[in-house]
Amino acid sequence: MSKQMTGAEMIVQALKDQGVEVVFGYPGGAVLPIYDAIFHQNELRHVLVRHEQGAAHAAEGYARSSGKVGVLLVTSGPGATNAITGLTDALLDSIPLVCITGQVPTHLIGSDAFQECDTTGITRNCTKHNYLVRRIEDLPRILHEAFYVAANGRPGPVVIDIPKDVQFATGTYTHFKNIQHKTYQPQLKGDLSKIKQAVEMMTKARRPVFYTGGGVINSGPAASALLRELVRLTGFPITSTLMGLGAYPADDRQWLNMLGMHGSFEANNAMHDCDLMICVGARFDDRITGRLDAFSPHSKKIHIDIDPSSINKNVKVDLGIVGDCAHVLEDMVRLWRTSGARADQAALAKWWKDIDHWRAKDSFAFRISSKIVKPQHAIQRLYELTKDRDVYITTEVGQHQMWAAQHFKFMEPNRWMTSGGLGTMGYGLPAAIGAQIAHPNSLVIDIAGEASILMNMQEMSTALQYRLPVKIFILNNQYMGMVRQWQELLHGGRYSESYTASLPDFVKLAEAYGAHGIRCADPADLDEAITEMIETPKAVIFDCVVDQKENCFPMIPSGKAHNEMLMADLSDDAGIEIGNVIDEKGKMLV
Amino acid sequence: MNAQAPQSAPPSPYSSAVGKSNTESHTLSVLVDNEPGVLARVVGMFSGRGFNIESLTVAEVAHETHLSRITIATSGTPEVIEQVRHQLERLVPIHSVTDMTLLDRAIERELAMVKVRGKGENRVEALRLADAFKARVIDATIESFIFEITGAPRKIDDFVDLMRPIGLVEVSRTGIAAISRGPAPI
Ligand SMILES: Cc1ncc(C[n+]2csc(CCOP(=O)(O)OP(=O)(O)O)c2C)c(N)n1
Ligand SMILES: [Mg+2]
């Protein structure tokens, strides 16, 4: 399997050998040899984005919706620095990416050459790992190793920085199959004695709850299937983080909805009052825990995670199990079955009564209006009108993102792509492009805010070039709504710079790009307009003009505990007085 | 449960719910691939996550296999030390991380060169103390000495403290190197 070829040819060959079908990229001086190698073949598809940040998010959307590694190719200097936000986003949300960056030739490195930047230096802390390839001899191994590192263990972005002279050099290419890294070998199987201990704790639990996260999605569809089996076997309630939505079907009785800052009343109260928390592939992030010293004070905690550093990082747990979710869940299901384990039914029945009581609060409820479109209502209608289709949803960041998480129901993993850890406005459109490339015949919708969408609007041009029928569903409140909400909470409603004046006419903007534009401001027209969007066989920008004042509830104000949630006041249109709920300590937090 | 943070930084409700009073010093021995950037990864992880480095030494220890040993003295609560270890283990080119402080009777040594300036009785006293600490004179002028001393970091601290009133000029220390006792490797 050895062959003489240039570095540029090796790159294309290695991508093919890794089963890569598509690369998102943008050319430039330091990657021209690679672009030439791409030109000379037809198997590897290149998608030309309009900004390198778009390439990174598109690769993320592709990866998250397909379970494969996403690949991007950018030039040195500004190409690499433009990709940084996307790499950081992938690091925080554990998305497997391989990013190939061009670099100035080796003899110019360190001389402040044209379009030189210290790419490995800059990306060291925003990648899982990175390489600078100084010798053609190292290139084939590094190319294959990068895929191994990106995809195995806790997934993440890997950068390979390749100087131009190495791209031109000739060497021997070897296809390293099933490469193993000499030092990086994550543990997949969980310690069986600990899993036994976990099962025992579960049989004794009186108020248990499953708290699951993005790790279940990353582990693959088997993990979701096993999670469903275990949850049904035990009869326990289950909640999930923003990143884990879809691992468990949202229409199931045991599902408590999302937890955390904008999670449901029942999920957060169950977390607070439980006596056993079984955390699967989540990381006790501050959006989830709220006030740490009041976090679930009476529970024993089990934490299953592939990354040992996640265990005991923010919250001390009683039993940490290092391993891949699917492997550990498989052992748990088997042990539960073979040991004839049974949950404490009487206690569980009582627990469910408490939960049903919290559920009855209907914490995602909102007041519908006949005059003005309520953003939550728009999402509900979007869900109802698309639920029988093959749908992938991405989002931008803000209130609309939280409303999408609350009101769109996900039944399957890999259907929901959102920037959770980094909270990157501008993620949704390129991610939708990536998801649409992976699923050309599916309905891909970016649920957007009017501010966020403008951050990577240029990618409309990419969507049109490749005839990608992505739908951009903008909940247009003319505000950076989430910022406005926090200004009400913390700064006396002084809306410093959070109102967006001079918004473009989104319908005309759609037309300018060659897409279809729809505007809807009347609740009576909503269904018809959404149907028009779904049935349009090309890219659509849907300007959904919504209530400017609506705030996102329920909410755990910063610095507060799970059982101190703020609820929406449905009695009056003015909304609730939220000005004084955060104390001095809480103001410090984000 | 509440964190006792210094006055300047108000305790954050999101900060780890463990006290900072039980701070311990630990020495970690980290075996790494000797490749470009590996030290930057380690140091960057410490600064990026706000961990302390009290001393750090690094040198290649096996030329053929390109292995280097980085010995880091750090401090924190037991929970923080555990985090430091796990975060180090996550770095791709790292082979192993050993907490030498948890090992039974690991040996820690440091070398220091100590410059002392003085005349008359002070010179005699400096030499007498150096003798007691088994420090060697490696440079001398009519008004100064440079001593070379090896030992556990505490011994060097003590020596330096004693030299201060006599005429300490400056100190250069290597940082800690550590190894386990007995026939087995770390
Ligand atoms: C790149 C980036 N810059 C700033 C922020 C801070 N931020 C979070 S939400 C938000 C407002 C988003 O406004 P919009 O997209 O209109 O969504 P809405 O909250 O109104 O639904 C801002 C500015 C961010 N998350 N990302
Ligand atoms: Mg908005």
Side-chain angles (χ1 to χ4, degrees), chain A residues 53 85 396-403 422-426 448-455 474-485 498 500:
Chain A
Q53 184 188 355
T85 302
E396 307 291 337
V397 171
Q399 291 179 322
H400 63 277
Q401 176 190 29
M402 294 299 117
W403 283 318
L422 196 64
T424 312
M425 291 169 71
E450 81 295 334
S452 295
I453 192 64
L454 289 176
M455 286 218 175
I474 303 174
L475 295 180
N476 185 350
N477 54 9
Q478 287 211 29
Y479 275 98
M480 299 171 196
M482 194 55 99
V483 173
R484 180 182 51 66
Q485 179 165 346
S498 56
T500 325

Side-chain angles (χ1 to χ4, degrees), chain A residues 136 193 218 232 305 331 357 400-401 415 432 522 579 585:
Chain A
I136 184 80
S193 67
N218 277 336
R232 282 173 195 148
D305 205 297
D331 282 337
H357 178 72
H400 63 277
Q401 176 190 29
R415 298 283 172 160
D522 184 344
K585 267 191 220 166

Side-chain angles (χ1 to χ4, degrees), chain A residues 124 129-130 149 154 181-184 286 290-293 307-309 311-313 316 558-559 585 588-589, chain B residues 1-2 10-17 33 35 37 40-41 44-45 79 82-83 86-87 90 92-95:
Chain A
R124 195 168 286 129
H129 193 49
N130 62 18
V149 172
R154 179 173 176 178
H181 194 278
K182 63 183 164 184
T183 52
Y184 185 70
D286 57 60
R291 188 187 176 96
L292 260 185
D293 57 10
D307 179 358
S309 77
I311 296 172
N312 291 328
K313 181 171 71 181
K316 219 166 152 42
S558 30
K585 267 191 220 166
M588 222 71 71
L589 307 170
Chain B
M1 280 281 268
N2 280 315
S12 155
Y14 287 154
S15 72
S16 187
D33 274 333
E35 60 179 37
R41 273 180 224 288
M45 190 284 285
E79 291 81 5
E82 183 190 301
Q83 254 307 292
H86 286 314
Q87 292 294 349
R90 276 176 98 196
V92 169
I94 285 191
H95 286 260

Side-chain angles (χ1 to χ4, degrees), chain A residues 12-13 16 20-22 35-46:
Chain A
V12 172
Q13 188 59 46
K16 287 182 194 167
V20 175
E21 288 163 359
V22 60
Y35 273 86
D36 201 44
I38 288 174
F39 186 85
H40 279 106
Q41 54 86 53
N42 284 318
E43 290 156 69
L44 185 68
R45 184 172 175 206
H46 181 272

Side-chain angles (χ1 to χ4, degrees), chain B residues 8 28 33 44 51 59 64 83-85 89 98 100 107-108 152 162 179 184:
Chain B
S8 53
L28 304 178
D33 274 333
F51 299 137
E64 327 73 60
Q83 254 307 292
V84 171
R85 187 162 58 78
E89 281 165 347
T98 310
M100 303 304 283
I107 301 175
E108 295 185 1
L162 287 170
I179 202 159

